[in-house]
Amino acid sequence: MEAVDRAFAAALYIEGDAALDTGASLLAAAPEADVELALRGREFVRRAWDRGWQPADVVRIVRRDLDEPQVRILSGLIRDELASYERLPARWQGQVDELPGEPWRADRFSYATAVLELYRTLLALPAIEPAGPAPGASGAAGLGPPVHGEPKTLARIRALLAKAEATGFPEEAEALTTKAQELMARHSVDDALLAGRGLSPGGEVPGACRIGVDAPYETAKAILLDAVASANHCRAVWNSALGFSTVVGFEADLEAVELLYTSLLVQGTTAMAKAEAAQRAGGRRRTKTFRQSFLLAYAARLGDLLAAAARGVEESFGGELLPVLASRAVAVGGRAEEMFPRTVATRVRGVSDESGWRDGRAAADRAHRTRTPGLPL
């Protein structure tokens, strides 16, 4: 369509608002080009899949760099494109289900401007390490069934953690998180033992998922995610520029990492807000340094506690489980090195607020506390 080509030539490959306005004006004056414009958007989405991106990844970038109108336009394009596939890769249906449902409506010029801003962002997406097959990839490996269900154990864990995040009573949150941790441990151990006997329905190959690590205080959040991943027999690699970590591991362990990290982050943020309020009541105003120190301490302390719990697993279960865990650790490490042959260490800035560090460690102790010795996280 000539109008679309002219608009793209004017706006997508030339920076600046003037170029954007020119392209939007061309599209606004050509309503007959709307169908072609949407088809081009679906093509840009397909290119993102080919570069290793998944729906949640693209939405996260667009939400970070643009605004809600572009997120809603993108969501519609993703739904339309993925509806053409009979089967989706594992985890994709859940990501699609979480997309905003309401379309964005505006005058033609505003809508065209938002579309072109979105397409600029999609065109600029770099290639990243695939966390699984793209839709339409040859072979059935990694593809989920047409309808995805959730095991009852995971549903129970999710419900317990949601209650822990919602309650205003620390003791209740600790008890709920403890129960969720116990269920996670049994779920992971059962899966490992079944795999060792060749009975696991999830297969023997490690997979990967990406988890958003958003500003502010993203370094502390990445450290927390790494601690949770390590304790659950996974490896996490942080991409600070794109705002996510890729976690490599077996499916049951990846599910545990996603659930536990999200819950611990919510609980840590809530505890930080309460501790900060107490500091302010005492006349202190160094909010930023307090928060940064709190979250770094929270992440570091949980890392120590989770690592100790992981060692306790190997000592407590022993027997049939230890060889299975060792074999799976080798497989996960090999997969992580295959995906990320070159990684670098990140320097963590020094902590400058003693009260924030102390309160963060105390919050980590509360979040971690368990009443059932010998069970892993």
Side-chain angles (χ1 to χ4, degrees), residues 13-372:
Y13 309 101
I14 301 175
E15 296 183 0
D17 292 340
L20 195 66
D21 289 344
T22 300
S25 297
L26 290 169
L27 292 176
E32 70 278 4
D34 290 355
V35 173
E36 178 66 19
L37 185 64
L39 290 175
R40 299 287 186 93
R42 289 177 57 177
E43 181 182 348
F44 292 148
V45 166
R46 286 195 299 273
R47 291 183 189 178
W49 308 157
D50 293 339
R51 293 182 186 138
W53 295 77
Q54 295 184 6
D57 305 323
V58 183
V59 170
R60 187 183 307 115
I61 288 293
V62 170
R63 180 169 276 127
R64 183 192 72 178
D65 295 346
L66 297 174
D67 211 335
E68 194 62 23
Q70 288 86 357
V71 171
R72 292 187 179 276
I73 296 170
L74 172 64
S75 298
L77 293 173
I78 291 174
R79 284 198 181 90
D80 290 344
E81 173 59 25
L82 295 184
S84 62
Y85 298 94
E86 181 181 354
R87 301 176 69 195
L88 296 180
R91 295 178 174 273
W92 283 53
Q93 187 60 56
Q95 296 179 27
V96 173
D97 291 343
E98 293 179 358
L99 295 174
E102 291 295 324
W104 183 64
R105 306 194 181 281
D107 62 87
R108 290 194 58 80
F109 180 81
S110 297
Y111 184 83
T113 301
V115 168
L116 291 173
E117 288 176 327
L118 170 63
Y119 290 3
R120 275 181 172 181
T121 298
L122 295 179
L123 278 172
L125 292 176
I128 59 177
E129 299 80 7
S138 59
L143 291 177
V147 178
H148 295 258
E150 182 176 65
K152 291 183 178 180
T153 301
L154 289 180
R156 291 181 61 195
I157 292 171
R158 194 182 300 277
L160 287 168
L161 291 175
K163 291 180 180 179
E165 296 160 17
T167 182
F169 300 97
E171 295 80 5
E172 183 181 9
E174 293 167 14
L176 291 166
T177 303
T178 295
K179 183 60 178 177
Q181 290 170 346
E182 293 172 5
L183 289 175
M184 286 180 190
R186 297 185 187 280
H187 183 57
S188 178
V189 168
D190 288 346
D191 186 78
L193 290 175
L194 286 173
R197 299 166 187 161
L199 301 175
S200 174
E204 297 296 321
V205 180
C209 68
R210 280 190 281 268
I211 299 176
V213 181
D214 300 318
Y217 315 115
E218 56 269 34
T219 299
K221 295 174 183 177
I223 292 172
L224 174 60
L225 177 52
D226 181 73
V228 174
S230 298
N232 285 278
H233 317 295
C234 296
R235 293 271 297 273
V237 178
W238 179 33
N239 187 319
S240 58
L242 296 178
F244 62 72
S245 285
T246 302
V247 183
V248 182
F250 287 88
E251 186 60 28
D253 298 328
L254 292 176
E255 292 164 342
V257 170
E258 286 186 287
L259 291 173
L260 185 56
Y261 167 72
T262 301
S263 181
L264 289 175
L265 184 58
V266 170
Q267 293 183 54
T269 303
T270 300
M272 179 182 68
K274 292 181 178 179
E276 183 184 26
Q279 291 289 320
R280 284 181 173 179
R284 300 194 59 199
R285 296 181 180 180
R286 291 187 297 166
T287 300
K288 184 175 181 180
T289 57
F290 178 86
R291 289 180 175 179
Q292 179 171 292
S293 299
F294 183 101
L295 287 178
L296 282 171
Y298 182 75
R301 179 58 174 163
L302 274 173
D304 293 339
L305 295 170
L306 295 172
R311 289 193 297 269
V313 173
E314 298 179 1
E315 296 171 359
S316 300
F317 284 96
E320 182 182 9
L321 180 62
L322 287 179
V324 174
L325 290 179
S327 176
R328 287 160 77 90
V330 170
V332 169
R335 176 62 175 148
E337 291 176 7
E338 177 186 346
M339 292 180 65
F340 304 98
R342 292 181 293 275
T343 58
V344 296
T346 298
R347 182 182 298 274
V348 179
R349 294 181 180 179
V351 175
S352 58
D353 192 302
E354 182 179 353
S355 297
W357 181 266
R358 183 177 58 250
D359 288 350
R361 286 178 62 88
D365 287 333
R366 290 194 299 271
H368 171 78
R369 191 174 301 159
T370 178
R371 299 169 181 83
T372 307

